[in-house]
Amino acid sequence: MQWGKVKNILIAILLAVNLFLLGNFGMKMWQNRQDAQRLAADVEQLLSGYGLTLDDAFRLPRDSELPTLSLDRSRADEENTALAMLGAVTERIEQEDGTVRFAGADGTVEWQVDGTVQADCDTGAETPDGDAAALRLARRLFAAWGLQAEDAVLTAADGTVTMTGTVAGLPVHNRALSLRFYGTGRAALTGRWSFGTPYTTVRASGTPCIAADALLDFATRSEQKGCVLNMTVGYRMQTDSSRRTQLTPTWKITTDQGEYLVDCAKKTLIEQEE
């Protein structure tokens, strides 16, 4: 009998503790939501002073922390892609700045040290008629050339197919390939790409990616006015002084006027690349 009373008391205590923890968790969730709403309202008010508005569907992304990643240039993958595109290489020229140019009977391929590629070749297929056919052919060619992408997304417009893909699960805002079909079975490939798995050093610390800071920096440094549609955190490719490719944490801000990049660490607007 005594044990039954003790057991009921323990159950009641455990229930009370659980209810307290649940209530405390709910209060914290409510407070976080209130703080987020106040922050969004404050940011929107500040942006309005610079002639910027937020789209009705815009939601301020959660802050995050990302490491800077490194990528080693893979000359072997670049050459394999050139061989796959040209069938056979009759000339290979490497310049002092690291640019490597391949030439063959079917065209040319040029890789620069920062991952930029320019190529022109014969596809071995008829020029596609319409965007749907262009997507099918481009998907087949990208696979045959070894230009695979994690979570690849292909879009087509006016005979040109653009491929993007994530690295380490996040978008790389300036990493994309455009394949333009023209003439009789010809294609021109342009863009910036990378091969291999990115890595970070043990000592490397993460970079805070604060959405509000990025928006305010964009507002103060950009002369663009208009409506902010959305923003996405990810990386951008750049080459350091030792010609090593770095993936730097970067926000992409999309407005009704265009797309803009803001460096997460420096909190500065990135100049548009030519």
Side-chain angles (χ1 to χ4, degrees), residues 33-77:
R33 184 176 181 181
Q34 292 295 107
D35 291 343
Q37 290 176 346
R38 282 194 293 268
L39 177 60
D42 291 342
V43 169
E44 186 171 13
Q45 184 176 1
L46 289 171
L47 291 179
S48 65
Y50 295 97
L52 283 172
T53 60
L54 298 179
D55 185 75
D56 292 338
F58 178 87
R59 295 295 181 269
L60 198 65
R62 291 184 178 181
D63 300 336
S64 59
E65 186 173 289
L66 298 176
T68 296
L69 302 176
S70 298
L71 273 171
D72 292 328
R73 182 181 184 182
S74 176
R75 296 176 181 270
D77 285 325

Side-chain angles (χ1 to χ4, degrees), residues 128 130-131 134-135 138 154-163 177-181 188 190:
D131 290 344
L135 280 171
L154 277 71
T155 57
D158 301 325
T160 299
V161 177
T162 301
M163 181 176 70
L177 291 174
S178 293
L179 186 62
R180 179 175 61 87
F181 298 103
T190 57

Side-chain angles (χ1 to χ4, degrees), residues 208-229:
C209 299
I210 313 300
D213 289 351
L215 270 178
L216 293 176
D217 180 81
F218 170 71
T220 57
R221 297 177 183 272
S222 173
E223 297 180 357
Q224 295 295 330
K225 312 299 180 184
C227 181
V228 179
L229 304 178

Side-chain angles (χ1 to χ4, degrees), residues 101-253:
R101 185 178 187 274
F102 302 90
D106 291 335
T108 60
V109 179
E110 181 178 280
W111 286 98
Q112 297 180 22
V113 69
D114 64 352
T116 298
V117 60
Q118 294 182 334
D120 189 283
C121 69
D122 186 78
T123 65
E126 295 182 359
T127 301
D129 183 15
D131 290 344
L135 280 171
R136 290 193 296 269
L137 179 56
R139 189 173 288 108
R140 179 168 64 82
L141 291 175
F142 281 136
W145 296 340
L147 297 171
Q148 303 292 347
E150 181 182 345
D151 301 327
V153 176
L154 277 71
T155 57
D158 301 325
T160 299
V161 177
T162 301
M163 181 176 70
T164 60
T166 61
V167 173
L170 289 173
V172 182
H173 303 309
N174 61 344
R175 178 180 182 261
L177 291 174
S178 293
L179 186 62
R180 179 175 61 87
F181 298 103
Y182 72 97
T184 304
R186 302 291 297 182
L189 180 71
T190 57
R192 176 179 288 177
W193 206 244
S194 62
F195 300 94
T197 302
Y199 60 91
T200 184
T201 60
V202 176
R203 297 180 180 178
S205 58
T207 299
C209 299
I210 313 300
D213 289 351
L215 270 178
L216 293 176
D217 180 81
F218 170 71
T220 57
R221 297 177 183 272
S222 173
E223 297 180 357
Q224 295 295 330
K225 312 299 180 184
C227 181
V228 179
L229 304 178
N230 59 68
M231 61 187 301
T232 307
V233 70
Y235 288 101
R236 81 178 188 278
M237 288 178 61
Q238 61 178 19
T239 306
D240 61 17
S241 57
S242 62
R243 293 184 177 179
R244 176 172 295 174
T245 299
Q246 304 284 343
L247 296 180
T248 305
T250 303
W251 287 100
K252 181 176 76 172
I253 298 175

